[in-house]
Amino acid sequence: MAPAMARLLFLTLAVASSLAVGADALRSLGVGDGATAQGDYAVELDATTFDAFLTASRESFAVVEFFAHWCPACRNYKPHYEKVAKLFNGPDAAHPGRILMARIDCASKVNIDLCNRFSVDHYPFLLWGPPPKFANTKWDRKQEKSKLKLIDDGRTAERLLKWINKQMESLFTLDDKKYENESMLPNNVSYPKQVQLHTLFAKLHK
């Protein structure tokens, strides 16, 4: 089999597998070279991985933060966002499998069209909705009947979590801890570290 055909077949199988097992399992692949900083819980994606990752996600909802790495407000906001992300993402998440917390750097050239797709006009810019509704979607705030919502009151960890609780009719708190008996959680997700699909894709396209 020709190398190009072999790579295409492998990519097809990888995407098909991701759709079957969900984003949680993709994060457990262990591939990647530290693209997500140590101690971070939000999954940093880019335009090459965004649609596939959100499509494959098994979480009920996603929060996507569009930011710019040069933006002082974004740098100040990151600890707040990560504090909430820690509740839902990562090996010690108190509520795994509920919400995917992701980030997109709009200052990266590869993401310009993606950020325009979602009408990002300030930073940080947060959107909420079912993960598959983000994939291959164009959004703006004038849209009616959209499953995606602008989070307009999430400037601190406390306010973001309050907004999430209102949407989900839940009572999550920033002090929530992981259950000792993980078998009690039907939607439990366990993975050693966050990974990015673009690393896998990049290897396939070499």
Side-chain angles (χ1 to χ4, degrees):
M1 185 182 292
M5 183 62 72
R7 287 196 297 271
L8 180 60
L9 177 60
F10 184 73
L11 176 59
T12 302
L13 290 173
V15 173
S17 175
S18 75
L19 293 174
V21 300
D24 50 333
L26 289 173
R27 292 184 215 111
S28 71
L29 290 173
V31 298
D33 50 7
T36 298
Q38 187 174 6
D40 286 356
Y41 296 92
V43 181
E44 190 157 327
L45 301 171
D46 65 26
T48 68
T49 60
F50 185 83
D51 289 329
F53 199 90
L54 272 291
T55 298
S57 176
R58 283 185 175 177
E59 286 88 348
S60 300
F61 294 99
V63 178
V64 179
E65 178 200 3
F66 297 88
F67 72 102
H69 62 261
W70 50 259
C71 164
C74 299
R75 292 175 185 171
N76 291 335
Y77 183 66
K78 184 178 179 181
H80 292 274
Y81 192 72
E82 290 293 343
K83 196 171 183 180
V84 176
K86 186 177 180 181
L87 291 173
F88 305 107
N89 295 5
D92 297 317
H95 306 289
R98 305 289 184 85
I99 300 172
L100 169 66
M101 305 283 291
R103 306 178 81 230
I104 296 288
D105 184 0
C106 293
S108 176
K109 287 184 180 179
V110 72
N111 296 328
I112 291 174
D113 289 342
L114 177 62
C115 293
N116 287 338
R117 230 174 76 186
F118 290 96
S119 305
V120 176
D121 57 6
H122 64 272
Y123 305 121
F125 185 92
L126 277 67
L127 284 178
W128 161 274
K133 298 298 181 181
F134 283 89
N136 304 300
T137 297
K138 211 174 167 185
W139 180 90
D140 66 60
R141 64 182 72 220
K142 295 177 183 178
Q143 259 181 280
E144 295 181 10
K145 300 180 180 179
S146 175
K147 295 290 185 180
L148 303 183
K149 293 182 181 180
L150 180 67
I151 298 177
D152 53 5
D153 189 22
R155 290 295 176 172
T156 65
E158 290 78 10
R159 286 167 69 173
L160 175 57
L161 191 58
K162 182 179 179 181
W163 193 97
I164 290 171
N165 278 331
K166 186 176 179 181
Q167 299 302 308
M168 299 187 69
E169 298 182 347
S170 53
L171 295 171
F172 301 134
T173 74
L174 293 173
D175 296 323
D176 290 351
K177 303 296 182 188
K178 182 179 181 180
Y179 282 96
E180 291 299 322
N181 185 358
E182 294 188 11
S183 63
M184 293 174 63
L185 298 174
N187 293 323
N188 187 44
V189 178
S190 179
Y191 49 90
K193 62 181 180 178
Q194 307 283 359
V195 298
Q196 293 183 323
L197 282 177
H198 73 75
T199 305
L200 174 61
F201 293 164
K203 288 181 179 180
L204 292 172
H205 286 90
K206 281 184 180 178

